Amino acid sequence: VGAYLKPQVDLGGVNLYGLAGYAVTGGGNTTTGDREGDFSYGAGLDFPLVDGVKLFVDAVQLLDKGDNNAVSANTGVKFQF
């Protein structure tokens, strides 16, 4: 779970964005309270496919605390209406 600020720059149709916020990640057994929170950051791009539909890709550093490291690579489709 996370909350982010998302500054954006339009590069002629392609949207470059940054992510900065706080994320909480959990281990395989969340009933034991095995969760950690940390500053989280990342970057991504939105590409227009057709009117009202965009493809996005991004990478996010969720947790970076010593031996505990969590990185997420994401892709998806946005529908704007």
Side-chain angles (χ1 to χ4, degrees), residues 5-78:
L5 296 175
K6 185 180 176 183
Q8 305 176 55
V9 175
D10 185 357
L11 302 174
V14 175
N15 188 40
L16 171 66
Y17 59 89
L19 297 166
Y22 190 81
V24 177
T25 60
N29 185 356
T30 58
T31 59
T32 62
D34 186 21
R35 296 180 183 206
E36 287 195 72
D38 197 10
F39 173 72
S40 180
Y41 57 91
L45 293 169
D46 286 340
F47 302 93
L49 297 177
V50 295
D51 191 32
V53 180
K54 291 184 177 183
L55 172 70
F56 74 87
V57 294
D58 61 32
V60 183
Q61 176 74 46
L62 298 169
L63 182 69
D64 188 9
K65 288 188 170 182
D67 291 339
N68 295 328
N69 190 15
V71 177
S72 174
N74 309 290
T75 187
V77 178
K78 291 184 187 181

